[in-house]
């Protein structure tokens, strides 16, 4: 059956490298894929591998310039980025006969790799966070401050032309050397060419996911969704854990974790239930634990058993055998496709199947991820699978499920770093159990901070373990926490236009949504000193707060490194001077997210379970520099519909006789995927407008509503045809100064400090004639370190603007 469906079970590939890139001596082959990427092979038989493997799909790089030197003793290959020396001897590679140097001033003596060495990299990711309560050891990644990394593909299976896998010979060496120095983004780009692109996600995957290990009933789940809707809390994906299927089974059939038959006591009408969820804007994934095979009580047991040649009279189980292509085909056709036909969108592959199959070296988790993803894509829509990480190349099978973590501050503190370093192996779409899965104690503040991180992480999936007191419904955490969580979950859906554009950039440009700071500042040591801080798309930097509030200040604290330039806090709109490390303090309702001057962030003005292309958009524009953004939209499902791009730009001018100009161009591409009309509100952050903005639509002046809300000037443009072009002229515009005194008053008013102490602090602030004098006066009051730091953040945020 697999052979008849090889179009479904095959990946696009071009595994043969150009002959001109190859240097061969006896049983050895060196392939110069790029000036920094070498393939190194030894085959005892002399037969080299030119087919794709589980990890490597494409070796069709253009042959770079390189020099080859060869004599009876050695072979040298020299490019602009790397220098390989191989001392000729038979019998395979050793530390003494092969070394490669990454050319560049990366370290004094740590930039040469000797065969067999394992370079100490900036780390990658891990198979799972199951039972983690804090940090765990991570696998090595592709990024290294010393300039190079390697990965060994010798044990990877070969992909056959009929869509199957087969073992490769023993006694071979098949390795890849990356000598890109600190060009981390260049490393990723060529790694993705070598191993395959990260697929685009369907648009709905970027909203909030509701997940809980709990025996919901059909009506109970509907009541929950109705309650979310009543409270204006949006979700786009419904994750139904294992209790959708029969779990109370006779002991001779196992534990009941594996199952494929709906429990009709809980879900009497699955068709109607899935249809109802779809009508309410929710896509559905069902949980799987497939390792226990198919037992005789399953609905599809008899037809599947007959096809597999299993004796149904004796009621023998159909054993799980992912290494058998006949089982694999029947597994999908009988156990999954019928559910998909009534509305299941994709599958959550839970409970790792171990790492052993009857085929030596074949990982069952990889097999499940690979074939589930490809099978889910057999129709017109973009495929998804929801599963654990199975090694290099797993980025081709999004989305990652990181496993069952403890509900503790230590777990939360590790997840931003874990998520960011996963980009070092190209694995960008992690989904965590937001709020934690097991253990811990109820902590409203921890829940809020975890949701805030979830909103600014790749996939935001609230989840919890079984039990009546473990649910993550926001209203179970008190009024204040519920209000904050609700606003952040709404924000996640408002961010979908931005996130979807990043999804596209990730696919086409190999530019992940989450990027460690050192990707963009590889020679700045500060970029390596903020492991929890990361870029979130092209416009934002996020510094998650992962520790409890300071009790006296009622503020959370985090150390932030802002690169050079002018930066704005996304939530409180405070401007900061960059190129420095700052201790920042935030209330529970705020979160440290920053946009650089010139930044443009498109948002949906509304929010609902549906995540389609919006009719009303807010575009936040940040003063102080030129900027641009290209908004990408399509049908959201990848059904072969041409995409459309809307380009936006800011030209910043602060001279009195010149205009600053913000422009939204007419959408380019298939406008049929967009609403017929669209209404824009332009939110100008950091703009001190001396005169009213002038707005032109298709070069015709129009009347608009302009109003100020806090530190933002809003320009509300009436709804226009979708093919319109907008130009906003801003004359005599300057940078808006921070309201230092107002912010300090609000800080003191909130702080849990004696009233007399607050009066002394505030009087010292009012008497200060400059930022330096304010700080000097406060130091004389012998205040606590946190109080001084919190005040200093406000005073020194942008000291040149404070008089």
């Amino acid at each position: 059956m697999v052979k008849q469906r090889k179009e479904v079970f095959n990946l696009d590939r071009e595994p043969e490298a150009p002959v001109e890139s190859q240097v061969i001596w006896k049983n050895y082959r060196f392939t110069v894929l790029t000036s920094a990427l070498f393939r190194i092979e030894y085959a005892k038989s002399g037969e080299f591998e030119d087919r794709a493997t589980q990890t490597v799909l494409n070796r069709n790089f253009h042959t770079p310039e390189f020099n080859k030197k060869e004599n009876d003793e050695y072979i040298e290959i020299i490019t602009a980025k790397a220098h390989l020396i191989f001392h000729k001897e038979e019998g395979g590679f050793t530390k003494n006969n092969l070394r490669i140097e990454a050319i560049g001033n990366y370290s004094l003596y740590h930039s040469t790799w000797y065969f067999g060495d394992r370079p100490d990299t900036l780390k990658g990711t891990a198979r799972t966070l199951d039972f983690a309560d804090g940090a765990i050891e991570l696998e090595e990644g592709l990024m290294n401050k010393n300039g190079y990394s390697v990965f060994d593909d010798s044990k990877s299976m070969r992909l056959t032309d009929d869509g199957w896998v087969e073992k490769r010979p023993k006694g071979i060496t098949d390795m890849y050397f990356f000598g890109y120095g600190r060009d981390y983004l260049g490393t990723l780009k060529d790694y993705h060419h070598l191993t395959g692109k990260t697929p685009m996600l369907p648009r709905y995957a970027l909203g909030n996911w509701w997940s809980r290990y709990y025996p919901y009933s059909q009506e109970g789940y509907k009541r929950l969704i109705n309650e979310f809707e009543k409270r204006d809390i949006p979700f786009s994906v419904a994750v139904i854990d294992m209790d959708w299927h029969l779990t109370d089974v006779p002991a001779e059939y196992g534990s009941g974790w594996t199952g494929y038959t709906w429990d009709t006591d809980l879900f009497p009408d699955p068709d109607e239930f899935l249809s109802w969820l779809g009508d309410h804007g929710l896509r559905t994934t069902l949980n799987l634990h497939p390792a226990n095979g198919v037992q005789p009580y399953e609905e599809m047991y008899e037809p599947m058993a007959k096809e597999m040649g299993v004796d149904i009279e004796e009621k023998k189980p159909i054993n799980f055998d992912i290494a058998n292509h006949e089982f694999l085909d029947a597994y999908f056709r009988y156990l999954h496709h019928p559910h998909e036909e009534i509305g299941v969108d994709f599958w959550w592959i839970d409970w790792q199947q171990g790492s052993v199959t009857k085929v030596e070296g074949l990982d069952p988790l990889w097999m499940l991820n690979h074939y589930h993803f490809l099978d889910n894509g057999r129709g017109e829509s973009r495929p998804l699978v929801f599963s654990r990480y199975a090694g290099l190349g797993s980025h081709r099978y999004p989305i990652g499920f990181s496993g069952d973590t403890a509900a503790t501050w230590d777990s939360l503190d590790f997840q931003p770093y874990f998520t960011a370093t996963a980009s070092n192996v190209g694995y960008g779409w992690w989904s965590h159990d937001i709020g934690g899965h097991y253990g811990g104690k109820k902590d409203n503040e921890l829940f809020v901070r975890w949701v805030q991180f979830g909103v600014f992480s790749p996939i935001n999936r609230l989840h919890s373990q079984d039990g009546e007191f473990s649910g993550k419904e926001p209203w179970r955490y008190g009024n204040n926490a519920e209000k904050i969580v609700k606003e952040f979950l709404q924000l996640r859906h408002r961010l979908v236009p931005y996130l979807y554009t990043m999804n596209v950039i990730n696919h086409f440009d190999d530019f992940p949504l989450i990027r460690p700071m050192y990707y963009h500042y590889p020679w700045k040591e500060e970029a390596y000193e903020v492991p929890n801080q990361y870029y979130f798309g092209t416009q934002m930097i996020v510094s998650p707060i992962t520790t409890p509030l300071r009790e006296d200040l009622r503020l959370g604290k985090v150390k932030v490194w802002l690169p050079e330039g002018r930066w704005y806090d996304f939530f409180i709109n405070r401007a900061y001077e960059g190129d420095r490390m700052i201790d920042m303090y935030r209330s529970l309702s705020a979160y440290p997210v920053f946009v650089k001057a010139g930044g443009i962030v498109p948002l949906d003005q509304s929010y609902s379970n549906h995540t389609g292309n919006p009719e009303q958009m807010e575009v936040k524009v940040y003063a102080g520099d030129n900027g641009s953004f290209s908004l990408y939209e399509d049908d959201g499902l990848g059904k072969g519909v041409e995409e459309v791009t809307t380009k936006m730009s800011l030209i910043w001018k602060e001279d009195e006789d010149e205009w600053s100009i913000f422009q939204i161009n007419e959408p380019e591409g298939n406008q049929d995927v967009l609403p017929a009309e669209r209404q824009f509100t332009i939110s100008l952050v950091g703009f001190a407008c001396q005169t009213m903005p002038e707005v032109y639509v298709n070069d015709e002046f129009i009347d608009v509503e302009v109003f100020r809300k806090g530190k933002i000037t809003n320009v509300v443009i009436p709804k226009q045809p979708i093919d319109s072009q907008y130009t906003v002229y801003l004359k005599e515009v300057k940078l808006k100064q921070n309201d230092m005194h107002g912010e300090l008053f609000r800080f003191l008013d909130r702080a849990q400090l004696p009233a007399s102490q607050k009066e002394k602090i505030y009087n010292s602030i009012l008497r200060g004639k400059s930022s330096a004098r304010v700080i000097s006066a406060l130091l004389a009051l012998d205040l606590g370190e946190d109080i001084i730091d919190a005040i200093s953040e406000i005073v020194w945020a942008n000291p040149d603007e404070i008089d």
Side-chain angles (χ1 to χ4, degrees), residues 185 188 416 419-421 423-424 428 498 502 505-506 510-520 527 530-542:
L185 289 170
L188 270 189
T419 308
T421 58
S423 293
N424 291 343
Y498 177 77
M502 297 308 125
I505 291 174
N506 186 16
D510 310 303
F511 196 80
L513 171 68
I514 305 287
R515 302 181 305 287
M517 296 301 294
Y518 48 77
Y519 275 28
H520 297 280
V530 283
N532 270 18
Q533 183 177 314
Y534 51 84
Y535 270 87
F536 188 67
T538 58
Q539 308 292 298
M540 295 178 170
I541 286 175
V542 180

Side-chain angles (χ1 to χ4, degrees), residues 453-523:
F453 166 64
V455 168
F456 289 95
S457 70
I459 301 295
N460 186 34
R461 178 180 52 86
L462 277 64
H463 183 73
S464 60
Q465 66 178 356
D466 195 5
E468 295 303 322
F469 301 100
S470 300
K472 297 300 190 297
E473 295 88 349
W475 52 87
R476 301 178 69 165
Y477 290 83
N479 291 337
N480 187 48
E482 178 189 358
K483 178 178 180 293
I484 296 169
V485 167
K486 172 181 171 179
E487 290 173 353
F488 271 82
L489 294 177
Q490 290 171 350
L491 174 61
R492 177 70 184 202
H493 277 232
R494 294 188 62 219
L495 279 165
V496 167
Y498 177 77
L499 294 168
Y500 194 72
T501 297
M502 297 308 125
N503 173 34
V504 174
I505 291 174
N506 186 16
H507 171 69
F508 285 106
D509 298 332
D510 310 303
F511 196 80
L513 171 68
I514 305 287
R515 302 181 305 287
M517 296 301 294
Y518 48 77
Y519 275 28
H520 297 280
Y521 302 94
W523 295 100

Side-chain angles (χ1 to χ4, degrees), residues 225-245:
I225 299 304
N226 283 329
E227 186 65 24
F228 282 134
E229 291 178 347
K230 176 183 173 183
R231 295 173 183 258
D232 288 331
I233 300 175
F235 286 92
S236 62
V237 175
V239 184
I240 315 296
D241 213 316
M242 61 173 288
D243 289 286
W244 70 271
H245 63 73

Side-chain angles (χ1 to χ4, degrees), residues 579-794:
D579 197 19
R580 57 192 174 133
M581 198 81 76
I582 316 171
D583 284 333
M584 293 196 178
Y585 293 79
R586 293 293 181 272
S587 67
L588 191 59
S589 62
Y591 206 59
V593 177
F594 305 94
V595 183
K596 195 172 184 180
I600 300 171
V601 181
L603 301 165
D604 194 333
Q605 281 196 51
S606 61
Y607 46 83
S608 70
N609 295 347
H610 300 273
T611 57
N613 299 323
E615 294 184 4
Q616 295 177 297
M617 294 196 70
E618 177 186 5
V619 182
K620 295 174 78 81
V621 185
Y622 292 81
D625 205 348
N626 297 336
S628 62
F629 189 89
S630 293
L631 175 69
Y632 185 102
E633 298 170 283
D634 57 19
D635 69 349
L637 295 172
K639 293 186 175 181
V641 180
E642 182 190 3
E643 67 281 358
V644 59
T645 304
T646 304
K647 295 179 180 178
M648 308 176 185
S649 62
L650 171 66
I651 299 174
W652 172 256
K653 300 285 186 183
E654 207 172 351
D655 298 333
E656 289 187 7
D657 58 344
E658 293 189 273
W659 297 80
S660 290
I661 301 172
F662 177 70
Q663 193 163 49
I664 301 175
N665 291 355
E666 176 185 349
E668 301 173 10
N670 179 21
Q671 296 180 7
D672 292 342
V673 301
L674 303 180
E677 295 180 311
R678 180 167 275 172
Q679 187 269 314
F680 282 104
T681 294
I682 313 302
S683 297
L684 302 172
V685 183
F687 290 76
C689 299
Q690 309 302 314
T691 61
M692 289 288 287
E694 295 181 13
V695 179
Y696 291 78
V697 176
N698 299 329
D699 297 327
E700 290 188 12
F701 177 82
I702 64 167
D703 290 324
V704 297
E705 179 187 359
V706 179
F707 65 93
R708 289 187 178 90
K709 186 177 181 181
K711 301 177 182 179
I712 299 176
T713 299
N714 293 285
V715 181
V716 182
I717 304 172
K719 187 179 291 186
Q720 303 291 328
I722 197 63
D723 59 355
S724 299
Q725 176 174 300
Y726 305 80
T727 306
V728 181
Y729 292 98
L730 302 157
K731 193 173 185 180
E732 298 179 29
V733 65
K734 295 186 178 299
L735 291 171
K736 192 173 185 66
Q737 295 184 357
N738 289 332
D739 178 15
M740 183 185 77
H741 288 99
E743 290 193 42
L744 287 170
F745 178 85
R746 289 187 288 274
F747 160 74
L748 289 169
D749 193 44
R750 184 191 307 113
Q752 305 293 301
L753 300 172
S756 59
Q757 189 178 31
K758 291 184 181 184
E759 294 291 348
K760 285 183 179 180
I761 294 171
Y762 195 58
N763 287 332
S764 297
I765 291 167
L766 291 177
R767 288 194 299 268
K769 301 299 183 183
S770 67
S771 301
R773 290 185 63 176
V774 168
I775 297 300
S776 177
L778 293 175
L779 289 173
L781 297 179
D782 295 324
L783 303 173
E785 182 180 346
D786 276 343
I787 299 175
I788 287 291
D789 284 350
I791 293 174
S792 297
E793 180 200 346
I794 298 171

Side-chain angles (χ1 to χ4, degrees), residues 340 345-346 371-379 381-384:
E340 293 173 20
D345 293 283
F346 61 102
Y371 287 108
H372 261 283
F373 184 83
L374 294 177
D375 185 75
N376 192 245
R378 70 191 184 281
S381 296
R382 290 187 191 123
L384 275 186

Side-chain angles (χ1 to χ4, degrees), residues 51-67:
R51 284 164 288 188
T53 68
Q54 287 176 291
T55 306
V56 174
L57 303 181
N58 305 306
R59 305 184 191 97
N60 62 327
F61 293 82
H62 294 295
T63 302
E65 289 188 13
F66 68 92
N67 293 323

